Amino acid sequence: GREIALGRSVVVGVESALSEIGVVEMSTSSTSARVAFQGERGAYSEAAAREMFAIAGERQAPRLTVDAIPCASFDDVFTTLISGKVEYAAVPIENTLGGSIHANYDLLLRHHGAVHIVGEHSFRVRHALLVTKGTPKSAIKRVMSHPQALAQCDGFIRRNGWERVPAYDTAGSAEMIAA
């Protein structure tokens, strides 16, 4: 059977930017939102943030645009939010196959009072095995991705006998392999 992963992300804001999103009506005074996320452009956190703001923005005219700001680490996401460089941060907190993302729970606790969860969103994670053009499956020896993605695909990777190579980001791993 296919393994289906659902991720739950939260959007975090600082007190001065508490335009509620998600289930609550979004502020109509803004047409764009700067949102920090961990990883390279194309990361699941960016996709989850865009999807969440699109759903929230459906009730708003003009349409809300998202300016997604990539950050190297979850720590950097929170630092960028607290510094005021963005109004929101989108961070994953749970995954049905990989479990909780404890680093983000820890960061929420560390910054308690300075940041607030203003929305949450479930996002379907769809992994793909990427190889350079012409590479046969038999030539694959290692799979590189974020540790959470490797955990989500553990059964598939083990069935094929491949080595797991942790990297800081799924989209960044794809970029490295393509280079």
Side-chain angles (χ1 to χ4, degrees):
R2 285 185 60 96
E3 296 169 335
I4 297 174
L6 291 176
R8 189 166 69 117
S9 294
V10 294
V11 171
V12 182
V14 292
E15 190 146 3
S16 62
L18 285 182
S19 303
E20 293 87 13
I21 60 174
V23 248
V24 186
E25 287 297 315
M26 179 172 265
S27 165
T28 56
S29 60
S30 178
T31 59
S32 67
R34 291 175 299 162
V35 183
F37 68 94
Q38 185 275 326
E40 300 287 334
R41 295 212 178 272
Y44 288 117
S45 291
E46 178 185 17
R50 289 188 184 283
E51 188 175 283
M52 183 176 191
F53 275 88
I55 291 167
E58 287 174 359
R59 297 182 295 267
Q60 178 174 321
R63 296 290 295 219
L64 182 73
T65 59
V66 173
D67 183 13
I69 309 299
C71 298
S73 68
F74 292 128
D75 274 321
D76 291 346
V77 169
F78 279 82
T79 300
T80 300
L81 174 64
I82 291 167
S83 73
K85 293 177 184 170
V86 296
E87 293 86 23
Y88 302 100
V91 293
I93 57 167
E94 292 181 334
N95 184 278
T96 56
L97 295 177
S100 297
I101 293 87
H102 298 289
N104 287 332
Y105 280 111
D106 291 345
L107 286 163
L108 286 167
L109 284 172
R110 184 182 317 155
H111 299 291
H112 179 74
V115 301
H116 307 275
I117 296 174
V118 296
E120 75 174 70
H121 181 62
S122 291
F123 180 78
R124 183 164 181 190
V125 176
R126 298 167 194 227
H127 292 295
L129 180 62
L130 303 177
V131 297
T132 54
K133 189 173 183 169
T135 302
K137 188 175 176 182
S138 61
I140 300 169
K141 305 292 181 223
R142 294 179 299 282
V143 176
M144 177 191 297
S145 193
H146 186 276
Q148 194 71 27
L150 292 171
Q152 293 162 3
C153 299
D154 187 61
F156 179 74
I157 294 169
R158 286 181 189 272
R159 280 192 302 277
N160 286 285
W162 297 325
E163 177 188 351
R164 298 169 0 140
V165 180
Y168 87 101
D169 179 52
T170 53
S173 297
E175 199 172 86
M176 288 171 59
I177 290 169

